[in-house]
Amino acid sequence: MSGPQLSRRTFEVPPPAPVRIVHMGLGAFHRAHQAWYTQHADPTGEWGIAAFTGRRPDAALTLAAQDGLYTLIERADSGDSFEVITSIVEANDGADVARLAGLVAAPSTALVTLTITEAAYHLGADGELDTGEPAVAADITLLAARTASGRSATVAGEDVGESDGSAAVAGDDVGASGRSATTATGRLVQALDARRRSGAGPIAIVSCDNLAHNGAAARKAVQGLAAAADGALAAWIGENVSFVSTSVDRITPRTTNAELDLVTAASGLRDDAPVVTEPFRNWVLSGDFPAGRPQWERAGAVFVDDIEPFENRKLWLLNGAHSLLAYAGQLRGHATVAQALADDDCLAWVIAFWDEAESNLPNDGLAVPEYRRALLERFGNARIAHYLAQIAMDGSSKLRMRAVPVLKAELAAGRPGAGAARMIAAWIAYLRASRAAGTAIQDSKAAELESALAVPAGEDIRGLLELLDPALAANDEVRH
C-alpha cells in the first residue's frame, strides 16, 4: 500500500513550534509519551522538541523526511485510534554533537529530556559512574582536552560571544583532536559546556528512564563525568543544572510493517515512522525547572514533592513483572507478555513477586491493589505484541532496579524474598540457555556476563550476582 508521504506539506498542521526542548534518545517510547504529553499540553505551539537518536541515525532520517510528523496508534481491545503528533520539530542523528551543543547552548532552550536506557548512564553496581568503562574513559580524556582548549580560547578572546553564545558555540562541534564525545552522557556534558560558555543560564535535565531516583542517577552520571574532565565545568553544572526525577509509564511495543499498511489504509498517507502504544499513560515528575516548562499537567501529568513511592510502584510492579516474564516466559517457550501471562505458572510467579513488592510500598496514596488489577488488564491485551526478547535486553542494569531492592528489603525484614530471587534465578537460567545455544547476549555488560558464565553452572552465580549487587553476591544464603 502506498500514498503521498506524511509531512507538513501533505497534512495540514500549524507551523512548527520553536525549539525549547532538546530530547536525547529518539525512540518509540519518547514519541508515545513525552512528545504526546507536550502536544496535548501546548495548544498554542510554544514548545517544540528537537530530538536526537541514540546508537543509530535511522529514526532521525525517517522522521526528518516527514518533517517530524508521525502517527500514534493507540491500540485498545476494542480497536485502534490514530493521531498525528507534531511536537517534534527537528530530528537529528545523535552523532551530530555540534547541533546538540548549539541547541543546548541557546537561551531559548529550557530543558533536556532523556530516554537513553538504563545502561547508557554507565553506573556501576555501587550507583556511581563507572569511569573504568573504555567509552567513558575515552570521553573523559576528550572532554578534558576540549575544556582546556575552550579556556584558552576564552582567555584569548576575552569572553567573546557571551551576549548570544555564537562565538562560544561556533567551535563546539569538535574537540582538540577533531572528535566529539560518543556516550550519551559525554555528549550531554559536552553540550552543557557549550551552554556554560554561551552564558545562556540555568537549565533542567529531565530523566525519563526506568531507573530508581533517575534524576539522581542522571546527576551522578553527568557530574561524575564532568568532574573527571574539568572541575570548573562540574562546579558550573552543580550551580546551574537541575535534575528532575520522573516516573514514566506507557507500554510501547515495536512497530511492524502491518502498522505501516494500517496507517496508509486509514489516512491515505504513507507514514514510515508510526508508533503503537496502549491507551494507558502516566507521568509523575519531581524537581525544579529554572528556565520554565510546558504545562504538562494539562495533559494529565502529576507533579509531586516525593517521587520515590511512585518510582518504586512502577519499577517493581510493572517493570519487575516484565523482567520476570521476559526470562521465565522465554524459557517456557513464550514470545510476548500476553502469552506468558496466560501461562498459569508465570502468572503465579508474577503475583508472588507483586505480593513481596507491595509489602515494601507505602499503604497510602499509591492505590496499589487497583494498579495491580490494571496491570493484569494491560499485560493481557493480546493486541499489544510486547515481545519478551525486547524486554530481556540489558538485564544486568534492569534487575538492579527491579529485583535487587525488593529482595534486599525482604531479607532485611527477615523474609526469604523468594519471588524476587526467582526473577534473578530466571535471568541466570536465561543467560545459561542463551550461551548454550550460541545466542549473543544483548547486554551492555555482555563481556562481563560471558566471563562469569565461563565457569561451570553453579559456580557462575557469584560472578553474575556481583554485576547486580556485591552485597548479595557475598550472601551465602542468597547464592544457595
Side-chain angles (χ1 to χ4, degrees):
M1 225 175 255
S2 63
Q5 187 167 31
L6 175 65
S7 71
R8 293 183 182 272
R9 296 176 299 279
T10 60
F11 188 83
E12 186 175 350
V13 290
V19 173
R20 298 205 61 200
I21 302 171
V22 171
H23 180 75
M24 298 179 66
L26 176 54
F29 180 76
H30 167 67
R31 290 187 280 146
H33 196 268
Q34 299 94 45
W36 182 93
Y37 273 95
T38 299
Q39 174 153 313
H40 285 259
D42 183 32
T44 58
E46 299 175 13
W47 291 87
I49 301 170
F52 289 78
T53 58
R55 297 183 183 92
R56 299 173 57 182
D58 305 39
L61 295 172
T62 303
L63 273 178
Q66 299 183 176
D67 302 321
L69 306 189
Y70 60 95
T71 307
L72 188 66
I73 306 169
E74 285 195 4
R75 179 153 291 167
D77 283 330
S78 58
D80 295 333
S81 61
F82 304 86
E83 179 183 9
V84 173
I85 304 297
T86 64
S87 54
I88 295 177
V89 299
E90 190 176 316
N92 299 287
D93 181 352
D96 188 354
V97 184
R99 184 59 181 159
L100 175 70
L103 287 169
V104 172
S108 57
T109 299
L111 54 104
V112 179
T113 54
L114 307 175
T115 52
I116 56 178
T117 76
E118 298 95 328
Y121 290 82
H122 298 284
L123 302 179
D126 61 357
E128 301 294 329
L129 179 70
D130 186 354
T131 56
E133 282 198 21
V136 174
D139 275 359
I140 290 171
T141 300
L142 174 69
L143 291 168
R146 287 181 53 81
T147 54
S149 175
R151 284 195 300 273
S152 298
T154 300
V155 170
E158 294 297 326
D159 293 330
V160 293
E162 284 299 310
S163 61
D164 64 2
S166 57
V169 179
D172 219 331
D173 53 344
V174 293
S177 61
R179 295 180 294 112
S180 294
T182 59
T183 67
T185 47
R187 290 169 176 173
L188 178 55
V189 170
Q190 185 172 332
L192 290 172
D193 184 41
R195 189 173 182 92
R196 171 181 66 142
R197 290 188 284 116
S198 75
I203 192 170
I205 306 299
V206 185
S207 174
C208 301
D209 284 300
N210 286 319
L211 289 158
H213 312 291
N214 52 17
R219 183 189 296 276
K220 284 181 179 292
V222 169
Q223 281 279 39
L225 204 153
D230 183 271
L233 173 58
W236 181 89
I237 290 172
E239 294 173 0
N240 292 276
V241 181
S242 70
F243 291 86
V244 177
S245 290
T246 74
S247 174
V248 297
D249 194 351
R250 196 171 203 187
I251 295 172
T252 308
R254 282 199 178 103
T255 302
T256 69
N257 288 334
E259 279 77 44
L260 275 68
D261 292 339
L262 189 65
V263 170
T264 302
S267 68
L269 297 173
R270 189 180 84 253
D271 182 353
D272 294 325
V275 175
V276 181
T277 192
E278 63 174 339
F280 180 92
R281 54 193 167 266
N282 182 251
W283 197 7
V284 185
L285 304 95
S286 181
D288 298 322
F289 295 82
R293 62 168 176 81
Q295 295 294 306
W296 284 317
E297 57 267 44
R298 290 177 179 170
V302 177
F303 291 82
V304 299
D305 293 327
D306 182 12
I307 200 170
E308 183 175 2
F310 296 92
E311 288 179 325
N312 290 340
R313 181 185 69 173
K314 194 261 180 173
L315 283 167
W316 299 350
L317 298 181
L318 189 152
N319 298 122
H322 267 173
S323 286
L324 176 54
L325 293 173
Y327 304 121
Q330 287 190 90
L331 290 170
R332 293 174 65 83
H334 307 303
T336 69
V337 169
Q339 290 171 3
L341 195 71
D343 182 323
D344 289 341
D345 287 332
C346 287
L347 175 59
W349 296 335
V350 165
I351 291 173
F353 173 71
W354 278 353
D355 288 343
E356 292 178 1
E358 183 175 359
S359 70
N360 293 287
L361 289 169
N363 292 325
D364 298 328
L366 294 184
V368 172
E370 293 83 357
Y371 189 78
R372 288 176 56 164
R373 285 194 293 272
L375 284 179
L376 290 177
E377 292 181 11
R378 294 166 65 193
F379 288 178
N381 182 355
R383 299 191 69 243
I384 293 285
H386 203 178
Y387 288 97
L388 300 176
Q390 178 186 4
I391 299 168
M393 297 171 62
D394 287 320
S396 66
S397 298
K398 292 175 178 176
L399 292 195
R400 287 186 209 147
M401 310 294 169
R402 305 176 182 189
V404 169
V406 176
L407 178 54
K408 294 177 79 170
E410 286 292 282
L411 293 174
R415 298 187 291 267
R422 184 181 291 112
M423 188 194 308
I424 297 173
W427 173 66
I428 292 173
Y430 172 80
L431 292 175
R432 289 172 177 166
S434 297
R435 188 171 188 272
T439 304
I441 296 172
Q442 300 297 313
D443 196 291
S444 64
K445 297 285 188 182
E448 292 91 332
L449 291 171
E450 289 284 2
S451 177
L453 289 164
V455 301
E459 297 177 21
D460 57 359
I461 293 175
R462 185 173 193 126
L464 293 170
L465 287 177
E466 282 279 358
L467 292 170
L468 298 182
D469 186 275
L472 288 181
N475 187 321
D476 291 337
E477 182 182 352
V478 170
R479 293 201 313 273
H480 299 95

